[in-house]
Amino acid sequence: MKRNENLVPLSRDHHFGLLCCWKIRQGIKKDIPYERIKKYVADYWEKNLSRHFDIEDIVLPEVNNESLQIQMQDEHRQIRKLIKSISQAGSRELLSDFADALHKHIRFEERMIFPYLEEHLSGEEMNDIGEQLLLFHQKEEDSYPDEFWK
């Protein structure tokens, strides 16, 4: 399905988010030390994901469906909590939980939130979202120097 052009920047971010999940899982499979993966997660959060969540807060009010709003907010809270736990603990299970939660969240947005917006918002409302994204969105960075996943 072709994504509305106004949501494409967020979908591109989602591509990098799925890549982040894959890298974490590869690191776990290769038995990479927790600290190396933890540093990557912190870097990804700081440079990409936290900003992406802030930007989604621009789009969230446009979702006039309470259950979708609640799920999005709950998943954002869960991921933030996992990020904090990863930074404070040493459990490899947390890394896996984070990758799973982020993957699930991205799929939810791509399969539920974006189609909802495309179906229920006018062209003008979608253009307003696109304009807001132009003001706040920054291109994802994928330049982490420690390629532990290879």
Side-chain angles (χ1 to χ4, degrees), residues 55-95:
I55 289 168
E56 285 180 344
D57 290 340
I58 295 168
V59 176
L60 181 64
E62 301 298 334
V63 179
N64 293 322
N65 178 308
E66 188 174 357
S67 66
L68 292 178
Q69 284 181 343
I70 289 169
Q71 183 173 343
M72 182 183 277
Q73 291 167 341
D74 287 348
E75 289 179 5
H76 280 191
R77 266 192 296 279
Q78 177 193 17
I79 291 167
R80 284 183 174 106
K81 183 177 177 183
L82 284 166
I83 292 290
K84 185 175 183 181
S85 296
I86 288 168
S87 73
Q88 297 173 345
S91 165
R92 295 176 75 74
E93 187 176 328
L94 285 171
L95 296 171

Side-chain angles (χ1 to χ4, degrees), residues 25-148:
R25 290 177 179 139
Q26 286 299 109
I28 292 169
K29 280 183 194 173
K30 293 176 179 280
D31 203 27
I32 300 299
Y34 179 84
E35 285 298 315
R36 286 177 68 191
I37 303 172
K38 171 184 159 179
K39 286 179 184 177
Y40 169 72
V41 170
D43 183 79
Y44 185 77
W45 170 255
E46 181 184 319
K47 291 181 179 172
N48 298 303
L49 192 56
S50 64
R51 228 178 16 222
H52 179 83
F53 279 11
D54 291 343
I55 289 168
E56 285 180 344
D57 290 340
I58 295 168
V59 176
L60 181 64
E62 301 298 334
V63 179
N64 293 322
N65 178 308
E66 188 174 357
S67 66
L68 292 178
Q69 284 181 343
I70 289 169
Q71 183 173 343
M72 182 183 277
Q73 291 167 341
D74 287 348
E75 289 179 5
H76 280 191
R77 266 192 296 279
Q78 177 193 17
I79 291 167
R80 284 183 174 106
K81 183 177 177 183
L82 284 166
I83 292 290
K84 185 175 183 181
S85 296
I86 288 168
S87 73
Q88 297 173 345
S91 165
R92 295 176 75 74
E93 187 176 328
L94 285 171
L95 296 171
S96 184
D97 290 348
F98 169 73
D100 292 346
L102 181 57
H103 186 271
K104 178 184 168 216
H105 178 66
I106 290 168
R107 293 298 184 212
F108 164 69
E109 288 183 349
E110 289 288 337
R111 294 176 179 162
M112 302 296 292
I113 296 291
F114 291 178
Y116 179 89
L117 292 170
E118 290 167 333
E119 183 178 334
H120 291 90
L121 298 185
S122 69
E124 186 177 322
E125 290 169 315
M126 290 301 292
N127 288 338
D128 287 345
I129 288 173
E131 288 174 19
Q132 290 178 51
L133 288 176
L134 284 174
L135 293 174
F136 300 107
H137 186 267
Q138 293 179 350
K139 191 173 182 180
E140 284 269 349
E141 290 183 35
D142 190 21
S143 60
Y144 192 72
D146 178 9
E147 296 178 328
F148 60 84

